[in-house]
Amino acid sequence: MERSLSMEIARVTEAAALASARWMGRGEKEEADGAATEAMRTVFDTVPMKGTVVIGEGEKDEAPMLYIGEEVGQGQGPEVDIAVDPVEGTNIVALGTWNALCVVGIANRGRLLHAPDMYMEKIAVGPEAVGKIDLDASVEENLKAVAEAKGKDIEDIVVVVLNRPRHDQLIKEIREAGARIKLIPDGDVAASINAAFDHTGVDVLMGIGGAPEGVLSAIGLKALGGEIQGRLKPVDEVQEERCRKMGIEDVSKVLKMEDLCGGDDAIFAATGITDGELLQGVQFKGDKATTETVVMRAKSGTVRFIDGTHSLEKKPDLVIKD
């Protein structure tokens, strides 16, 4: 992939965040998602690449744009797989709470898991704990391993978990192990990425969330030198058959980083819609708006935080603050 794609992808997430943020706190999650999707699709047409959406807004007959299999880009340049979540946390935007993001991940063609829209059990950590976690191990064993890797007492570890009834037993085991918990309503991509940044206060993500979000998290964590493991959790025979069509005969198989995002290169970009631990959300200031974006490339290990200032009266331009 070309180095310039990093900045091109940042333009895509910025445009989506600016469009979605207009719906913040208005209780209209579908409108927020639709606005972001349309803006994202429009900017994709300007990017010099041959892109195929492998994780998007749904199947072709379910989504008008950014559907799985859709070709995006100018049709010239590197051939890439694209994973998108125009609004990671539609409920978050609707309510105006924390950690809503616009997210795009890309990798060389054929390198991303074409994850079906089903549940995935996950554990995600930052660079210090790479190689120390095991999805087949107990909660306590994993937390002890993460604590040791990070030079902390287990009582100082913070685990992010989606606040769902399905996690009642997981929450009980984390508390019994002595770790602390941050329960979140939505947004486990943000939580996974936060585990790789010390200043967020997050050490590990655990629990069951969406499989597409697991692949997006893997792209980001590959760029950051972190790790995620996942296991698909089909709920019926139809979903089990989808797994088999993907080549996964054993649904109990633990999917490692190379299964989720293979190769030595990937690019991840996310722009904040609402404020979060890692990124500030969109702020409208008269005839201008500001955004904060993180863009990362696995091959170089480069992580950039971009402050964008955008005119609301003309085509947005980037203002990069070192």
Side-chain angles (χ1 to χ4, degrees), residues 42-69:
T42 298
V43 180
F44 264 134
D45 282 341
T46 71
V47 179
M49 66 180 182
K50 298 177 183 177
T52 302
V53 177
V54 300
I55 290 175
E57 290 291 274
E59 303 293 340
K60 184 175 181 179
D61 58 351
E62 298 172 353
M65 61 185 73
L66 296 183
Y67 53 81
I68 297 169

Side-chain angles (χ1 to χ4, degrees), residues 301-322:
T302 302
V303 179
R304 289 185 174 92
F305 285 88
I306 302 170
D307 291 339
T309 301
H310 311 270
S311 170
L312 300 179
E313 298 179 350
K314 59 183 180 180
K315 184 178 178 179
D317 293 312
L318 282 177
V319 176
I320 303 176
K321 299 179 181 178
D322 295 326

Side-chain angles (χ1 to χ4, degrees), residues 116-291:
D117 190 9
M118 66 176 65
Y119 284 135
M120 177 185 281
E121 181 184 3
K122 311 168 195 176
I123 181 169
V125 293
E128 303 95 334
V130 169
K132 307 297 183 181
I133 57 173
D134 183 353
L135 199 59
D136 284 330
S138 70
V139 170
E140 183 176 13
E141 288 171 334
N142 276 313
L143 291 178
K144 285 181 177 179
V146 173
E148 182 179 355
K150 301 194 76 169
K152 294 184 176 184
D153 294 329
I154 197 168
E155 292 82 3
D156 296 329
I157 293 294
V158 174
V159 186
V160 174
V161 180
L162 282 169
N163 191 7
R164 301 287 189 273
R166 62 178 179 266
H167 289 146
D168 287 349
Q169 180 60 32
L170 172 62
I171 290 168
K172 179 182 178 182
E173 292 180 28
I174 293 171
R175 288 172 174 162
E176 288 177 347
R180 298 177 294 156
I181 298 175
K182 176 179 285 189
L183 292 173
I184 58 173
D186 295 285
D188 64 348
V189 174
S192 297
I193 301 305
N194 284 348
F197 289 93
D198 279 341
H199 69 272
T200 65
V202 173
D203 297 293
V204 55
L205 169 122
M206 288 182 167
I208 297 171
E213 288 82 358
V215 176
L216 277 162
S217 298
I219 299 168
L221 288 169
K222 177 179 280 284
L224 291 165
E227 181 180 5
I228 184 171
Q229 295 181 12
R231 180 189 287 113
L232 293 171
K233 305 289 286 185
V235 298
D236 54 30
E237 178 59 33
V238 173
Q239 290 193 352
E240 289 182 6
E241 179 60 26
R242 292 194 70 180
C243 292
R244 286 189 285 270
K245 287 181 177 178
M246 294 166 54
I248 301 174
E249 293 292 336
D250 180 9
V251 296
S252 65
K253 174 186 177 181
V254 175
L255 301 170
K256 304 292 183 67
M257 287 291 287
E258 282 302 303
D259 299 310
L260 299 167
C261 178
D264 63 354
D265 203 5
I267 296 172
F268 176 95
T271 301
I273 305 171
T274 63
D275 290 343
E277 293 91 346
L278 184 63
L279 297 171
Q280 188 177 67
V282 175
Q283 295 186 10
F284 294 102
K285 302 178 179 180
D287 62 349
K288 297 184 183 300
T290 61
T291 57

Side-chain angles (χ1 to χ4, degrees), residues 3 6-7 293-296 302-306:
R3 181 172 53 188
S6 296
M7 296 306 300
T293 300
V294 61
V295 58
M296 310 176 285
T302 302
V303 179
R304 289 185 174 92
F305 285 88
I306 302 170

